[in-house]
Amino acid sequence: NAGVTQTPKFQVLKTGQSMTLQCAQDMNHNSMYWYRQDPGMGLRLIYYSASEGTTDKGEVPNGYNVSRLNKREFSLRLESAAPSQTSVYFCASSTKHSNTEAFFGQGTRLTVV
Amino acid sequence: QKEVEQNSGPLSVPEGAIASLNCTYSDRVSQSFFWYRQYSGKSPELIMSIYSNGDKEDGRFTAQLNKASQYVSLLIRDSQPSDSATYLCAGPFGSSNYKLTFGKGTLLTVNP
């Protein structure tokens, strides 16, 4: 049982390049999330998807776009990467919004130079 | 004000002591809270969830929720060096309770 799978695990981008971080879950979860984690800042919510077909902004959405491709997959796109987007990105999923555990992927360490 | 405020620490306790971690939150509507543990370089993992006022115990861990004061805490009894990690509190916020929001985390070090 893979759980939540993120790809890639590591990535180095040049400023201005674009890329898409992929996330897939095999637990039949309704809700999915994208977070970034920076030293001293905790986990900050970028975007979330309460259910298939819906997406909403979180705390730090600027510079990112998301797509809930289907129930399993939730991708995060950086259209024009900036050094400020250097971070560790985590995808997570949960069965429903309020009373259940969120499971996390292994993270993507992104460096923008 | 952030939805979840957490004493960022760091917190250092000797082995066998009680470690106390605290969070306050801003939304009175929130009904459930979670404590996650994150080892360095790893993903967060859930260790406790609490949905009602009072205490919830699971082994050496006790979560406490006080909705009137809008705070949630985690006590770790008989702390072990393996408990050394960052602890994050989280709760669902927003008009539909879909925003799972985390505090900044508290780094706990348990000294042998």
Side-chain angles (χ1 to χ4, degrees), chain B residues 10-14 80-81 83-85 107-111:
Chain B
L11 178 64
S12 180
V13 300
Q80 301 297 309
D83 295 326
S84 298
L107 177 61
L108 171 66
T109 301
V110 181
N111 301 302

Side-chain angles (χ1 to χ4, degrees), chain B residues 18-93:
Chain B
I18 296 175
S20 177
L21 307 162
N22 302 298
C23 271
T24 57
Y25 59 92
S26 61
D27 186 350
R28 290 186 177 272
V29 177
S30 299
Q31 296 298 310
S32 54
F33 293 92
F34 308 94
W35 282 99
Y36 285 77
R37 177 176 62 200
Q38 186 177 25
Y39 292 113
S40 180
K42 301 296 185 181
S43 305
E45 57 177 338
L46 183 74
I47 55 172
M48 288 287 285
S49 55
I50 186 164
Y51 308 119
S52 57
N53 269 330
D55 296 358
K56 178 182 178 182
E57 186 174 318
D58 184 1
R60 295 186 295 110
F61 298 95
T62 299
Q64 299 173 319
L65 176 60
N66 185 322
K67 293 187 178 182
S69 301
Q70 293 177 242
Y71 84 79
V72 58
S73 64
L74 179 70
L75 299 178
I76 306 174
R77 293 182 301 280
D78 188 23
S79 295
Q80 301 297 309
S82 59
D83 295 326
S84 298
T86 296
Y87 290 80
L88 302 145
C89 64
F93 296 95

Side-chain angles (χ1 to χ4, degrees), chain A residues 31 33 35 37 40-45 48 50-51 57-59 90 96-107 109, chain B residues 2 31-34 36 38 41-46 49 51 86 88 92-94 96-105:
Chain A
S31 300
Y33 312 86
Y35 295 90
Q37 188 171 39
M41 300 298 291
L43 284 164
R44 292 185 292 171
L45 183 63
Y48 63 103
S51 61
K57 295 179 180 179
E59 182 183 357
F90 287 101
K96 57 181 180 179
H97 51 86
S98 61
N99 292 331
T100 56
E101 172 180 6
F103 292 82
F104 283 80
Q106 75 274 33
R109 188 172 295 274
Chain B
K2 278 184 65 68
Q31 296 298 310
S32 54
F33 293 92
F34 308 94
Y36 285 77
Q38 186 177 25
K42 301 296 185 181
S43 305
E45 57 177 338
L46 183 74
S49 55
Y51 308 119
T86 296
L88 302 145
F93 296 95
S96 302
N97 271 355
Y98 286 110
K99 285 174 55 180
L100 184 60
T101 304
F102 285 77
K104 290 185 177 182

Side-chain angles (χ1 to χ4, degrees), chain A residues 19-21 34 46-48 55-57 60-68 74-80 85:
Chain A
M19 78 162 295
T20 299
L21 280 64
W34 275 106
I46 304 172
Y47 271 93
Y48 63 103
T55 60
D56 285 286
K57 295 179 180 179
V60 288
N62 291 343
Y64 305 95
N65 286 301
V66 291
S67 295
R68 184 74 185 266
F74 188 39
S75 62
L76 178 72
R77 183 162 178 83
L78 287 70
E79 291 290 351
S80 179
Q85 294 178 305

